[in-house]
Amino acid sequence: EAGVAQSPRYKIIEKRQSVAFWCNPISGHATLYWYQQILGQGPKLLIQFQNNGVVDDSQLPKDRFSAERLKGVDSTLKIQPAKLEDSAVYLCASSLGFLTDTQYFGPGTRLTVL
Amino acid sequence: AQSVTQLDSHVSVSEGTPVLLRCNYSSSYSPSLFWYVQHPNKGLQLLLKYTSAATLVKGINGFEAEFKKSETSFHLTKPSAHMSDAAEYFCVVSDPLGDDKIIFGKGTRLHILP
């Protein structure tokens, strides 16, 4: 079974630029999560999709971050414009169902904002 | 709102000795609790989870955790540490009825001494 795929693996941009991350979850998984993991901290949930609908985006900085999940499969997370404090690893995870189900994580995208 | 506290940021044990990683949580309702492990340069992987069934939960690689409601704890243990256990461990609380539905702890770095 293929795992969660993410791209790119690394990205370096200057502040005020835009960036987008892509995630392909495990086939058949209804729930998709985006996390931000700042160095030395635990992952923080940014947004959670159930199929193509948003379940929770309470911690997503909506003035600069946006995410979509087209057709309930792939998802993209965008930052526009980026700030220095956005430097982090962005993790995508998927699960069959809702909050009690095991989440399967992708390798992450390491973003550096200069 | 729920929260999770990992009481130690670093734990060092000798190979072959017991491991104890401590986690306390707070939740207004009936939470699900998880332990995830993150090996260097690898994705997060589920070790074990508690979802209101048996309070003693067994996971992969010989780890187990006990849910103690009276102490609001979910400590992770292993009888005998192996070098391959060196990693970052995250305690996670998930509460569908809480304000912050999924919360990761800050992590505990486990060091194994030869």
Side-chain angles (χ1 to χ4, degrees):
Chain A
E1 177 181 82
V4 176
Q6 290 187 247
S7 67
R9 292 294 311 277
Y10 304 91
K11 190 73 178 179
I12 300 174
I13 62 172
E14 306 224 336
K15 61 183 178 183
R16 290 188 289 274
Q17 286 187 323
S18 302
V19 65
F21 312 126
W22 173 82
C23 173
N24 181 237
I26 292 173
S27 178
H29 280 195
T31 309
L32 185 146
Y33 314 78
W34 281 104
Y35 291 88
Q36 179 192 58
Q37 186 176 18
I38 293 173
L39 187 65
Q41 299 182 20
K44 181 180 82 171
L45 179 67
L46 293 176
I47 189 166
Q48 178 183 341
F49 293 93
Q50 185 82 2
N51 296 309
N52 60 353
V54 176
V55 173
D56 179 17
D57 63 355
S58 56
Q59 298 192 93
L60 186 73
K62 297 180 186 65
D63 58 335
R64 297 183 301 106
F65 285 65
S66 65
E68 61 181 3
R69 189 181 185 195
L70 298 175
K71 300 181 181 178
V73 182
D74 293 7
S75 178
T76 56
L77 176 70
K78 296 179 182 178
I79 308 175
Q80 180 181 8
K83 293 185 175 181
L84 296 176
E85 58 262 35
D86 298 332
S87 293
V89 176
Y90 290 84
L91 298 166
C92 179
S94 68
S95 64
L96 268 173
F98 203 44
L99 293 171
T100 59
D101 282 358
T102 300
Q103 294 184 46
Y104 296 85
F105 284 82
T109 297
R110 183 176 298 277
L111 173 67
T112 303
V113 182
L114 303 175
Chain B
Q2 65 268 34
S3 66
V4 59
T5 302
Q6 292 185 243
L7 296 160
D8 305 293
S9 58
H10 292 266
V11 170
S12 295
V13 301
S14 297
E15 191 175 19
T17 64
V19 175
L20 170 63
L21 303 184
R22 298 181 295 166
C23 173
N24 285 103
Y25 71 93
S26 69
S27 175
S28 302
Y29 303 98
S30 298
S32 295
L33 293 157
F34 306 77
W35 277 99
Y36 281 84
V37 61
Q38 189 171 36
H39 289 274
N41 300 316
K42 290 191 177 180
L44 280 153
Q45 179 186 19
L46 179 73
L47 271 180
L48 49 81
K49 65 178 178 180
Y50 166 78
T51 55
S52 75
T55 56
L56 182 62
V57 182
K58 294 188 184 298
I60 62 172
N61 301 333
F63 285 93
E64 63 181 38
E66 186 171 7
F67 173 70
K68 292 187 176 180
K69 188 173 182 178
S70 61
E71 299 177 11
T72 62
S73 69
F74 191 58
H75 301 334
L76 182 70
T77 60
K78 182 173 180 177
S80 177
H82 190 272
M83 294 300 291
S84 61
D85 295 328
E88 186 94 21
Y89 292 79
F90 293 96
C91 183
V92 183
V93 62
S94 169
D95 188 343
L97 300 179
D99 294 335
D100 301 308
K101 299 185 180 70
I102 300 175
I103 301 289
F104 273 70
K106 292 186 176 181
T108 298
R109 172 75 63 180
L110 177 62
H111 304 271
I112 310 298
L113 307 172

